[in-house]
Amino acid sequence: MKITSITTSPYASNSYLINEKILIDPGMDTDQLIQKIKEHTQPENIELIILTHSHFDHCAAAKAVAEICNAPIAIHKDDAQALKSKEESVSILFSAPAPDIDPDILYENGDIIKISETESLEVIHTPGHTPGGISLYEPSSKSLFSGDTVFPNGGIGRTDFTGGSLDKLSVSIEKLTELDVITLYPGHGPVTSDDVNKQIRLSLQMSRAYR
């Protein structure tokens, strides 16, 4: 699996280009993102845009990027309605309108996204940061794209936004501790391969400490 990490601004989420055809979390800056994608592939080669959740810093550019790439947008069904809300998408914090996205694909827990002949992403519903937050696990490389559920060094997603729940986040992180993860690709912060299973267990401890 070929993974390119792209960050367009200090406030935007990390974007991940997988096998030069799957884009996770386009972030907020369409022009910068497209420019960086062109360093690796042509935008029209993008076949799917996946949103790990509905927050503005992860998806504000999704609609424009989708039009340029002619690619469908996918999100968990429980976050679809939040893309129309300034409060639930937290676009209000950026003094911006809601992303106003009509997703083409609605995921549920356990859905499988094929990304090559031998590789696939498993959709893991990880609510808590948002009701429809997801993490994506690729078992052959043991890679985890965690959105804003967990971050390196025991970090956890905020739960004080509309739709957040610390109890649900803790349950979600416990689910992630059952995976064998070699590399963590978080929604913010650096990619890490430093004893990731231990880092996720630390995130679980952190979530329980705040409950």
Side-chain angles (χ1 to χ4, degrees):
M1 183 168 62
K2 181 179 180 181
I3 303 171
T4 303
S5 177
I6 300 172
T7 304
T8 55
S9 82
Y11 301 103
S13 69
N14 296 334
S15 301
Y16 296 105
L17 181 62
I18 303 176
N19 293 345
E20 300 182 349
K21 64 179 185 179
I22 308 293
L23 181 64
I24 298 176
D25 288 344
M28 299 191 294
D29 192 318
T30 302
D31 292 340
Q32 280 198 52
L33 181 67
I34 293 298
Q35 181 179 345
K36 292 190 176 186
I37 286 174
K38 285 180 177 178
E39 296 174 7
H40 305 279
T41 188
Q42 291 303 308
E44 56 265 27
N45 292 333
I46 304 288
E47 298 177 358
L48 176 65
I49 297 169
I50 303 173
L51 306 179
T52 60
H53 61 287
S54 58
H55 281 169
F56 190 82
D57 55 326
H58 289 251
C59 70
K63 193 172 183 178
V65 172
E67 290 176 357
I68 292 169
C69 300
N70 192 28
I73 298 173
I75 195 170
H76 190 275
K77 61 183 181 63
D78 291 349
D79 260 19
Q81 80 292 335
L83 297 170
K84 301 282 189 177
S85 167
K86 291 172 64 175
E87 290 74 21
E88 292 178 72
S89 70
V90 300
S91 67
I92 194 169
L93 298 181
F94 295 87
S95 300
D100 193 29
I101 296 167
D102 293 307
D104 304 283
I105 301 169
L106 299 180
Y107 289 137
E108 296 188 45
N109 184 65
D111 283 348
I112 301 296
I113 307 160
K114 191 171 183 180
I115 58 175
S116 75
E117 290 300 317
T118 59
E119 300 163 323
S120 60
L121 297 171
E122 178 186 354
V123 175
I124 303 171
H125 184 206
T126 47
H129 182 61
T130 67
I134 59 171
S135 298
L136 300 161
Y137 182 63
E138 203 293 300
S140 62
S141 61
K142 300 182 179 180
S143 301
L144 180 67
F145 300 87
S146 62
D148 284 3
T149 299
V150 296
F151 303 113
N153 301 312
I156 64 175
R158 292 178 61 168
T159 59
D160 56 334
F161 295 131
T162 302
S165 167
L166 184 56
D167 286 341
K168 289 181 179 179
L169 184 70
S170 186
V171 171
S172 294
I173 297 172
E174 185 172 12
K175 193 186 304 184
L176 297 182
T177 64
E178 299 171 0
L179 304 173
D180 185 13
V181 182
I182 291 178
T183 307
L184 178 68
Y185 297 89
H188 301 273
V191 174
T192 180
S193 298
D194 183 17
D195 198 352
V196 174
N197 293 323
K198 181 179 179 180
Q199 293 191 56
I200 296 174
R201 290 195 298 271
L202 184 59
S203 294
L204 179 59
Q205 293 175 18
M206 189 70 68
S207 70
R208 288 173 172 171
Y210 284 123
R211 290 170 68 182

